[in-house]
Amino acid sequence: MKDIKIAAILTVFNRKEKTLACLQHLFEALRTYNKAAGSLIGLTVFLTDDGCTDGTADAIKSAFPDNDIHILQGTGSLFWAGGMRLAWQAAIDTGSAWDYYLLLNDDTFIYNHVFAQLFEADEFGYKQTGRHGLTSGITCQPGKRDEITYGGNIFVNQTKGRSILAVPAGKPQAVDSTHANILLVHKDAVAEIGIFYKGYRHGGADVDYSMMCKRRHLPVVVTAQTCGECEFDHDSNKGEIKRLMGMTLTERKAYVNSPTHSDHDYLLFVRRNKPLRFPVAWLVRTIRLYSPKLYYHVTHFRGLY
């Protein structure tokens, strides 16, 4: 295998200690791979500092003076999708011939075998389809390898939008969508479909991207083994609706219009990927806003809890 050039893509906001730990794990995994493999990875980090006030950027420069890290200054309102687009575009704009882009969440702590796992799964996808696409590294709860948190989803009922998380199978496997907690994007995928769709504010851009790849018949796969730790930090549907039921209408409107809990991103995702479901999705989200108790009963009846 020839030497490989990778641009690592991150966006951060006021999680200094986690960001430093994430980068430390990344560089340690890089050293491990380069020491053992016949080929070498040349890795450059492109990181968006989206208005951090905790000194994240200075801490990165101090902790990793010898690593190739480009820090982009965000506006403070880019959120996850916008920050990732800024860093990703900056990597492309260098004009370097990147072989891959490694998208990484700054609260993800990768294991030392991550690169071997990602390349194995990328090769699996190529053998299956004759093309290169997306490879997602499966993650687990910290210290609990049997509790999978992110990686990829397999649809079990597309009508109801149901899916299950892919679990390590001892060999790479194809999935229907992926997360970008650890996501290796081949240059061919970027050449064909570009980067994250610009309409997303915060969430959904990664799953949308993987489903675009699927529609273009690019391979979308997950690794054979767990590749890192990332705590699952999202409310369940049931937990979220209980919170909404405890809010006033004004509070609920502020909640669903905030980028981190955005109805905008959810409905955009449905419109782009499941357009026939959009009218029902819009109606159900409207019910959720104005009558969360009714929403709870509707979704319970539909078997979503």
Side-chain angles (χ1 to χ4, degrees):
M1 183 184 289
K2 69 179 182 65
D3 290 350
I4 301 165
K5 289 185 63 175
I6 297 179
I9 309 299
L10 299 92
T11 188
V12 305
F13 177 71
N14 282 354
R15 295 200 291 196
K16 178 171 64 177
E17 297 306 321
K18 284 188 175 181
T19 299
L20 293 175
C22 171
L23 292 172
Q24 184 62 52
H25 281 82
L26 172 63
F27 295 136
E28 180 59 32
L30 179 67
R31 285 190 291 269
T32 299
Y33 182 86
N34 282 343
K35 184 176 180 180
S39 58
L40 293 178
I41 297 174
L43 185 139
T44 301
V45 174
F46 294 84
L47 180 148
T48 297
D49 173 354
D50 193 29
C52 292
T53 58
D54 64 351
T56 296
D58 289 338
I60 291 171
K61 294 173 186 176
S62 177
F64 308 106
D66 299 324
N67 294 98
D68 192 4
I69 302 176
H70 298 250
I71 298 178
L72 293 308
Q73 191 60 53
T75 62
S77 58
L78 292 177
F79 295 91
W80 185 77
M84 293 297 281
R85 283 195 299 268
L86 179 65
W88 200 344
Q89 190 60 53
I92 292 171
D93 288 345
T94 65
S96 295
W98 307 110
D99 297 297
Y100 298 93
Y101 301 86
L102 176 64
L103 279 56
L104 189 62
N105 269 19
D106 72 332
D107 61 346
T108 299
F109 307 143
I110 60 177
Y111 297 148
N112 282 351
H113 64 237
V114 65
F115 289 109
Q117 284 286 303
L118 290 170
F119 293 144
E120 177 192 32
D122 176 61
E123 184 62 20
F124 168 83
Y126 181 76
K127 288 180 178 179
Q128 293 289 312
T129 65
R131 309 178 75 189
H132 291 285
L134 306 185
T135 303
S136 183
I138 294 175
T139 65
C140 65
Q141 287 285 84
K144 300 177 180 179
R145 292 206 182 192
D146 59 338
E147 293 187 22
I148 302 306
T149 52
Y150 302 100
N153 286 312
I154 300 168
F155 295 142
V156 295
N157 187 324
Q158 292 209 46
T159 302
K160 292 186 176 182
R162 286 181 176 174
S163 62
I164 58 173
L165 269 174
V167 299
K171 61 182 180 180
Q173 56 186 309
V175 294
D176 295 304
S177 66
T178 62
H179 308 115
N181 301 69
I182 307 171
L183 185 65
L184 190 70
V185 183
H186 194 274
K187 63 181 180 181
D188 291 353
V190 177
E192 182 158 342
I193 65 174
I195 63 175
F196 285 165
Y197 179 65
K198 64 182 179 180
Y200 288 99
R201 298 172 181 169
H202 184 66
D206 50 349
V207 182
D208 176 276
Y209 191 78
S210 61
M211 292 180 70
M212 279 198 294
C213 283
K214 288 286 286 190
R215 288 194 292 273
R216 298 291 186 93
H217 305 291
L218 296 168
V220 177
V221 301
V222 294
T223 51
Q225 300 177 25
T226 304
C227 288
E229 299 179 353
C230 186
E231 181 180 1
F232 186 83
D233 57 0
H234 300 285
D235 275 346
S236 65
N237 286 338
K238 192 171 185 178
E240 185 175 43
I241 191 59
K242 285 185 175 180
R243 284 207 291 142
L244 288 169
M245 284 191 285
M247 298 178 186
T248 67
L249 177 59
T250 299
E251 289 170 336
R252 288 196 298 273
K253 285 182 176 180
Y255 181 87
V256 303
N257 286 312
S258 67
T260 53
H261 306 102
S262 174
D263 272 1
H264 168 275
D265 284 347
Y266 170 75
L267 293 173
L268 174 63
F269 176 84
V270 174
R271 188 170 71 242
R272 283 174 52 79
N273 295 283
K274 305 288 181 182
L276 295 179
R277 287 179 52 202
F278 181 79
V280 172
W282 178 86
L283 176 62
V284 170
R285 283 286 164 140
T286 302
I287 293 171
R288 188 180 80 143
L289 172 61
Y290 288 99
S291 181
K293 288 183 180 180
L294 177 58
Y295 171 85
Y296 175 82
H297 291 300
V298 168
T299 51
H300 184 73
F301 175 77
R302 292 175 66 211
L304 297 182
Y305 296 148

